[in-house]
Amino acid sequence: MMQYDAEGYGWQNIIDSPDGLAPQPGAWLLGALRMVCEPQPAAVVTGTVTYRQRIALPPDATVVVTLEDVSLADAPSTVVGGDMIRTAGLQVPIPFSITYDPAEIIPQHRYVVRAKIFYGEDLSWTSTTAYPVITQDSPTEDVEITVQQI
């Protein structure tokens, strides 16, 4: 079997026949499966977590940022990715970076990032606003999440 690019149509499996080039039955399916199954480069959502109060974070604070699919109104959100930052004395704004697989992103869905700050195991701060990202012309860089004290 020889491989040809049939004028950019993504046909990767075309066979030689006595009548000339002929598409192999199911070649389009194999090409589509190959496109879907090949690893995609990872994508990233970046930004910072901050709050307005003038309060220092303790050295054992942990910031947890999640990327969630919130498309279904009557169902819990689905976590697509996340980042956990042990502050070790770092103060706000705290940078985050969430790596996700772009193949898992459905363009019609809504995605948001949320943040929580824990002191030890106790939740002390949380975001109370949705911060849309990725789809529907939403950003993937420089997202600023403001958290509120609990």
Side-chain angles (χ1 to χ4, degrees), residues 74-99:
D74 294 336
S77 61
T78 303
V79 175
V80 177
D83 191 10
M84 183 172 71
I85 305 108
R86 298 191 191 286
T87 59
L90 183 66
Q91 299 299 315
V92 295
I94 308 288
F96 70 86
S97 178
I98 301 173
T99 302

Side-chain angles (χ1 to χ4, degrees), residues 29-127:
L29 179 60
L30 292 172
L33 286 172
R34 186 176 298 146
M35 286 175 43
V36 170
C37 295
E38 287 180 356
Q40 298 287 324
V44 180
V45 173
T46 61
T48 57
V49 176
T50 192
Y51 51 79
R52 302 197 191 291
Q53 292 83 344
R54 295 179 183 248
I55 300 171
L57 290 172
D60 68 338
T62 303
V63 179
V64 177
V65 185
T66 54
L67 169 61
E68 302 176 14
D69 181 345
V70 294
S71 301
L72 301 175
D74 294 336
S77 61
T78 303
V79 175
V80 177
D83 191 10
M84 183 172 71
I85 305 108
R86 298 191 191 286
T87 59
L90 183 66
Q91 299 299 315
V92 295
I94 308 288
F96 70 86
S97 178
I98 301 173
T99 302
Y100 65 94
D101 181 357
E104 292 183 19
I105 300 301
I106 301 168
Q108 298 81 9
H109 282 206
R110 289 187 53 234
Y111 297 88
V112 300
V113 285
R114 296 185 176 156
K116 297 178 181 179
I117 301 177
F118 294 86
Y119 293 172
E121 294 185 17
D122 298 324
L123 177 62
S124 299
W125 301 81
T126 188
S127 55

